């Protein structure tokens, strides 16, 4: 119905026929942005403990497994190597079950740390065995330190 009235009047809209209509001002993009309405999503609201608890409810199991894996990697330096190896192996397996990818940064970091700690644990056990044999023969241990081939070097003749 409005369309027919508009066509009958020559295509002019009722507002354009009114001489007292306010002309539209050109917008200034630098200042007009501040007048946008965000419908309550910005400012004025307060966050409560319940809001934070509700936000934690929607975390997927992969994200939780990655967080636990990162925590175990951070805590691995505070425990003996044997315990760190078992903790890392358990958490890596749990992360794989949860769906963490093999090439995820947390998984790669955990695997690299596991390899380094396994090497350190093997060296530590070898060092303990060597220490036990050295304690049995203290004189041989002292002579080994003095005449060890690793630190053998040629002295000049003038000394």
């Amino acid at each position: 119905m409005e369309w027919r009235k508009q066509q009958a009047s020559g295509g002019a809209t009722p507002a354009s026929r009114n001489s007292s209509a306010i002309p539209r001002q050109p917008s200034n993009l630098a200042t007009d942005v501040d007048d946008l309405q965000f419908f309550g999503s910005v400012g004025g609201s307060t966050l409560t403990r319940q809001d934070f608890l509700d936000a934690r409810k929607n975390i997927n199991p992969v994200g939780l497994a990655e967080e636990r894996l990162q925590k175990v990697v951070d805590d691995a330096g505070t425990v003996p190597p044997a315990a760190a190896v078992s903790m890392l192996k358990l958490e890596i397996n749990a992360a794989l079950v949860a769906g963490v990818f093999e090439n995820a940064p947390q998984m790669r970091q955990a695997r690299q740390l596991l390899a380094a700690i396994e090497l350190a644990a093997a060296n530590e056990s070898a060092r303990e065995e060597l220490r036990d044999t050295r304690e049995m023969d203290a004189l041989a241990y002292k002579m080994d330190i003095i005449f060890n081939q690793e630190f053998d070097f040629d002295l000049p003749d003038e000394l």
Side-chain angles (χ1 to χ4, degrees):
M1 192 77 173
E2 288 293 320
W3 182 78
R4 288 188 183 184
K5 287 181 185 177
Q6 193 176 18
Q7 292 298 324
S9 67
T13 60
S16 65
R17 282 184 279 151
N18 189 355
S19 62
S20 66
I22 300 172
R24 184 179 171 126
Q25 298 290 331
S27 63
N28 182 0
L29 296 178
T31 59
D32 287 349
V33 168
D34 294 335
D35 295 336
L36 292 177
Q37 295 295 323
F38 289 104
F39 305 105
S41 64
V42 176
S45 62
T46 56
L47 292 174
T48 63
R49 289 180 191 229
Q50 188 61 39
D51 294 334
F52 285 117
L53 293 174
D54 290 342
R56 293 286 295 174
K57 289 179 183 175
N58 295 329
I59 293 179
N60 62 358
V62 173
L64 290 174
E66 287 176 346
E67 286 179 10
R68 283 193 313 266
L69 193 60
Q70 188 64 43
K71 182 167 175 25
V72 168
V73 166
D74 292 341
D75 294 342
T78 61
V79 295
V85 166
S86 63
M87 280 182 3
L88 281 168
K89 283 183 179 179
L90 287 173
E91 198 56 46
I92 286 172
N93 290 337
L96 287 173
V97 169
V100 177
F101 291 117
E102 289 282 336
N103 58 354
Q106 294 86 355
M107 184 66 76
R108 286 186 305 195
Q109 186 180 19
R111 287 194 184 272
Q112 290 169 355
L113 182 62
L114 177 63
I117 291 178
E118 283 177 339
L119 182 63
N123 287 344
E124 183 181 354
S125 64
R127 219 176 292 124
E128 286 175 4
E129 291 173 8
L130 185 60
R131 189 179 324 127
D132 292 340
T133 57
R134 286 181 178 165
E135 286 175 359
M136 289 187 274
D137 191 8
L139 181 60
Y141 175 64
K142 290 175 187 174
M143 291 298 173
D144 187 36
I145 290 175
I146 294 171
F147 298 108
N148 193 350
Q149 294 297 324
E150 290 180 31
F151 303 108
D152 191 18
F153 52 91
D154 294 330
L155 294 174
D157 292 335
E158 45 288 336
L159 290 178

